[in-house]
Amino acid sequence: MRVQFVLQEIWIGLRRNLTMTISLIITVAIAMALFGTGLLIRAEVSSSKSYWQDKIEVSIFLCAKTSSNSACQGKDVTEDQRKQLEQQLKGMSEVSEVTYESRQEAYQRFKERYAGSPGFVESTREGDIPDSFRVKLKNAEEYKAVAEAVKSRPGVDTVINEQEILDRFFGILNALQWGALVIALIQVVASVLLVGNTVRLSAFNRRRETGIMRLVGASNTYIQLPFILEGAIAGLIGGLFASIMLVASKFLLIDKLASEIQLIAKLGWGQVLSVIVVSICFGVLLCAIASFMTLRRYLKI
């Protein structure tokens, strides 16, 4: 009978304040979706960094006739210059592997890598990408020592560190993550205020029933339970809607980003599921705690 009474009270409360309940569900859904999106971007950055950690290379592009570097003087690198540079790189303690890539091989790899962007491939001709050495370091932090040693050598055009490119790119993703979390925090504050108003209105509408329950000796927990569960159920529904938006976010944002930008590793469904569970639990707890804190003060009157 007690369970039936509690469920009946929950239904009455949700039905009487339908408009505010719907507003609360929408606010919680948006807040949890943004919170979850921030966590997904964080997981994506972490996963991509782990994926690329042992794949980061230093690219040393050699002089070509089309080079804009004045040190190249509009000439291709000579065979002697290339061999001397290769020997120097292989003899450095910071270097673990050296791979020479001709302009033909570079163009072929470029076409394969950007096969999904035919316009970009067509605008690039063979020879636009010069010969290069792709150098894998034992420690990515030792890039500067290698760059300083080779950038002034004859035959060297430019030295590019993939670590710096990745850091800039991941910096953009981190900014998006914090932006989503800040907006989510604003929505969380709005959710807490809505929960407080909804519970206060619900308790006011049922003040006569609450008074009678006090007179017959009902405990505070028994009186407060329907109101707390109302908030928790609204949070649960909002969290479920947020989970749908997070799945859509994976397909439309994360996966699309990973397929179009080769720097990103694909996020697994296990990580998405864990973010969804965290978001739903956070939404339920947020609404339940906000309801409880509101009732502690209101029902003492």
Side-chain angles (χ1 to χ4, degrees):
M1 290 295 293
R2 288 187 175 185
V3 173
Q4 184 179 356
F5 171 77
V6 170
L7 293 176
Q8 185 179 353
E9 287 296 301
I10 292 171
W11 170 248
I12 291 171
L14 293 174
R15 188 183 60 188
R16 279 182 179 176
N17 306 300
L18 185 60
T19 305
M20 290 192 72
T21 301
I22 292 173
S23 300
L24 175 59
I25 289 171
I26 293 172
T27 305
V28 170
I30 294 172
M32 293 307 100
L34 288 168
F35 174 70
T37 299
L39 293 181
L40 284 179
I41 295 174
R42 183 188 181 93
E44 178 64 61
V45 170
S46 177
S47 176
S48 295
K49 281 184 176 178
S50 299
Y51 174 80
W52 284 102
Q53 191 62 42
D54 60 344
K55 298 177 177 64
I56 292 173
E57 296 176 334
V58 175
S59 296
I60 302 172
F61 291 98
L62 306 181
C63 287
K65 291 179 181 178
T66 56
S67 174
S68 58
N69 190 341
S70 58
C72 291
Q73 298 178 344
K75 296 178 181 179
D76 286 334
V77 62
T78 65
E79 188 64 19
D80 286 340
Q81 289 172 339
R82 187 185 68 78
K83 286 182 178 180
Q84 288 173 14
L85 179 60
E86 186 173 7
Q87 287 175 358
Q88 180 184 0
L89 289 170
K90 288 182 177 179
M92 296 182 73
S93 59
E94 298 89 349
V95 175
S96 64
E97 185 181 334
V98 179
T99 304
Y100 173 71
E101 186 175 65
S102 67
R103 62 193 68 186
Q104 293 80 16
E105 292 170 335
Y107 182 67
Q108 190 60 37
R109 188 162 68 95
F110 169 78
K111 287 198 299 182
E112 292 171 0
R113 188 169 185 177
Y114 295 99
S117 305
F120 186 37
V121 173
E122 289 173 6
S123 64
T124 305
R125 297 171 299 172
E126 184 175 334
D128 286 348
I129 306 173
D131 298 348
S132 65
F133 283 109
R134 290 189 287 117
V135 180
K136 194 170 288 186
L137 303 178
K138 294 176 181 177
N139 182 354
E141 302 299 324
E142 296 175 337
Y143 154 72
K144 287 186 178 179
V146 176
E148 289 297 326
V150 301
K151 68 180 182 181
S152 59
R153 282 192 62 87
V156 174
D157 184 2
T158 54
V159 181
I160 296 176
N161 181 23
E162 291 181 353
Q163 178 73 50
E164 293 180 343
I165 298 172
L166 288 173
D167 285 345
R168 284 197 293 267
F169 178 71
F170 289 140
I172 295 171
L173 288 183
N174 282 326
L176 288 174
Q177 169 203 333
W178 285 111
L181 291 177
V182 167
I183 298 172
L185 180 61
I186 296 170
Q187 291 291 329
V188 164
V189 173
S191 301
V192 170
L193 294 176
L194 264 176
V195 169
N197 287 333
T198 303
V199 169
R200 198 174 286 117
L201 181 60
S202 181
F204 179 79
N205 288 336
R206 283 183 279 172
R207 64 191 182 282
R208 182 175 299 175
E209 293 94 324
T210 302
I212 294 171
M213 290 173 70
R214 282 193 178 281
L215 289 174
V216 299
S219 65
N220 280 340
T221 302
Y222 189 67
I223 295 172
Q224 292 174 358
L225 188 59
F227 300 101
I228 294 173
L229 289 178
E230 282 176 30
I233 288 172
L236 176 62
I237 296 171
L240 292 174
F241 278 116
S243 67
I244 295 172
M245 287 189 272
L246 286 173
V247 171
S249 177
K250 171 149 185 342
F251 281 116
L252 301 177
L253 177 64
I254 305 295
D255 285 354
K256 192 172 182 182
L257 206 60
S259 61
E260 292 189 1
I261 303 176
Q262 305 281 320
L263 301 176
I264 298 181
K266 266 199 172 181
L267 202 62
W269 278 107
Q271 291 168 299
V272 176
L273 184 60
S274 64
V275 168
I276 287 174
V277 171
V278 168
S279 299
I280 291 175
C281 292
F282 184 66
V284 172
L285 285 174
L286 173 73
C287 294
I289 292 171
S291 300
F292 176 72
M293 297 303 292
T294 303
L295 288 166
R296 277 189 65 186
R297 183 177 178 182
Y298 187 83
L299 289 181
K300 286 181 181 179
I301 298 174

